[in-house]
Amino acid sequence: MSAEKVTTSEQIAIGVAHSKLILIGEHAVVHGQPAIAIPFPLVGVESVVEYVPGSIKFDSSFYHGPMNLAPKTMQGIVNSVKETLNYLELPKKDLLIQIKSSIPPGKGLGSSASVAIAVVKSLFSYAERSFTTDELLELANISETVNHGSPSGIDTLTITTECPVWYEKEHPIYFIRPFDDFHFIVADSGEVGDTRTAVESVTRLLRSAPKIIQGKLERIGELTHQAKHALEKAGKNFLGQLLNEAQKELEALGVSDAKLNRLIEFARQEGALGAKLTGAGNGGCIIALAKNEVHSRQLADKLRKFGAQAVWPFVLKAQN
Ligand code: MEV
């Protein structure tokens, strides 16, 4: 699915969004450190808006029915829809919003952010209005704030881009241009995580032991600076080491769990240059860096046989 595909007819409008991966810097980014995230095109969301008389209705795998009776778990997207309709000066009626997603929720792949971006895009398309990235982010972040409490904004941003992103709150965005191909594997531990709970647990830890935890967040920040250098110049062996170092800090922050650790250990034993959790953790996925394309295929097979619920090998392409 291409993030840019937005089509319109009189009665129907479509918005699509890919997902995202955090390469390094998750959690620390909420507390002012930088992070690097990569658009992840292998899974995505399509939102189809159609004129259907009556109250606004959702049709999705999590809920099918009127928007005003949607479950609490959909409150974020409900708020984004209402605000977007206000913004577009469209009446809050006569719409069916169908949400089709191939992103497993609660796996650190930005499912909620992708839904929000796809839905907002489809509403703009329905109104036959173009949007700026800032408009898109502002309206989608309404949903993310309900879902995640205090999101850094990196998820929604990465979902609107095609290149790896260097993100630091209140700083200009910088797009990273990898000098070489990097072969990653994303593997699902099978456990569902909750971003809000994980983010709140780190914030609580920071309050209870500010010096120690601030030190760990800053260490992740340093590793993220080095990872940028690895992507742009130093290469995969160095990047692998940095991913392993970041995982140590994430474990110390209490956001890795037994299943993630088991997959990470296995990937390293099978020759991964580095491996860590990706996203909020405590459930969700790992990201492992393979030596090359052949190794990536072998490692993906082995992770599948080892019990990963889903495995996605993918290449971050060089951009010269
Ligand atoms: C979630 O994908 C990344 C976190 O850092 C939360 C955020 O940045 O909003 C855990």
Side-chain angles (χ1 to χ4, degrees):
M1 253 181 267
S2 150
E4 294 313 314
K5 189 185 139 213
V6 177
T7 59
T8 325
S9 77
E10 266 175 45
Q11 300 286 326
I12 198 162
I14 300 175
V16 298
H18 55 63
S19 80
K20 64 85 201 172
L21 292 172
I22 308 265
L23 179 63
I24 190 163
E26 52 271 270
H27 287 290
V29 68
V30 175
H31 303 281
Q33 298 296 324
I36 299 173
I38 310 174
F40 187 50
L42 301 190
V43 283
V45 175
E46 181 178 73
S47 168
V48 181
V49 177
E50 210 175 325
Y51 176 83
V52 173
S55 61
I56 298 182
K57 288 171 209 69
F58 282 125
D59 180 11
S60 73
S61 59
F62 4 94
Y63 173 69
H64 176 91
M67 182 167 84
N68 60 359
L69 299 179
K72 239 182 141 188
T73 48
M74 288 191 76
Q75 197 52 52
I77 195 65
V78 169
N79 290 5
S80 270
V81 167
K82 286 183 180 164
E83 276 310 311
T84 306
L85 293 174
N86 282 342
Y87 188 77
L88 294 170
E89 298 175 342
L90 285 178
K92 292 194 197 69
K93 60 176 187 158
D94 301 336
L95 295 178
L96 171 65
I97 303 174
Q98 287 172 272
I99 302 168
K100 300 169 201 166
S101 176
S102 58
I103 309 176
K107 301 296 173 100
L109 302 180
S111 160
S112 62
S114 297
V115 167
I117 293 282
V119 168
V120 173
K121 275 184 171 179
S122 63
L123 291 170
F124 269 79
S125 176
Y126 189 80
E128 300 189 341
R129 288 262 303 266
S130 58
F131 48 79
T132 64
T133 303
D134 283 348
E135 285 172 321
L136 198 56
L137 292 177
E138 195 170 325
L139 293 161
N141 280 335
I142 293 168
S143 171
E144 283 298 271
T145 304
V146 176
N147 293 332
H148 295 169
S150 50
S152 63
I154 192 169
D155 290 9
T156 40
L157 176 76
T158 311
I159 285 158
T160 64
T161 72
E162 302 295 319
C163 304
V165 185
W166 170 271
Y167 179 82
E168 204 171 351
K169 272 195 209 167
E170 284 152 35
H171 283 70
I173 308 302
Y174 172 83
F175 294 107
I176 294 177
R177 300 172 73 86
F179 81 106
D180 197 2
D181 289 354
F182 290 82
H183 294 269
F184 292 104
I185 294 129
V186 178
D188 183 349
S189 71
E191 295 296 313
V192 172
D194 177 53
T195 301
R196 177 186 274 267
T197 311
V199 168
E200 284 172 359
S201 75
V202 173
T203 304
R204 259 197 316 277
L205 212 56
L206 180 61
R207 267 195 226 112
S208 65
K211 248 191 158 164
I212 298 173
I213 301 304
Q214 186 57 33
K216 300 204 171 299
L217 299 173
E218 282 170 15
R219 173 73 184 136
I220 295 176
E222 279 167 27
L223 293 167
T224 303
H225 277 273
Q226 292 172 3
K228 174 173 171 289
H229 177 63
L231 288 169
E232 291 179 335
K233 277 198 187 85
K236 57 194 172 188
N237 289 313
F238 185 42
L239 182 63
Q241 289 166 28
L242 299 168
L243 300 184
N244 288 341
E245 288 295 313
Q247 174 61 19
K248 273 191 211 154
E249 302 304 328
L250 291 165
E251 283 174 28
L253 293 177
V255 291
S256 201
D257 64 16
K259 284 205 173 167
L260 289 168
N261 294 345
R262 204 170 150 260
L263 280 184
I264 288 166
E265 259 322 297
F266 180 77
R268 289 176 187 158
Q269 274 165 27
E270 293 300 330
L273 300 173
K276 62 181 275 296
L277 67 85
T278 179
N282 282 341
C285 293
I286 69 156
I287 182 165
L289 177 59
K291 291 175 192 158
N292 51 43
E293 195 178 341
V294 174
H295 181 228
S296 169
R297 273 200 300 273
Q298 291 166 344
L299 190 52
D301 264 359
K302 287 182 176 163
L303 280 161
R304 253 181 230 115
K305 288 186 186 127
F306 188 65
Q309 199 176 70
V311 179
W312 296 273
F314 90 106
V315 193
L316 178 61
K317 285 269 177 210
Q319 289 172 37
N320 299 312

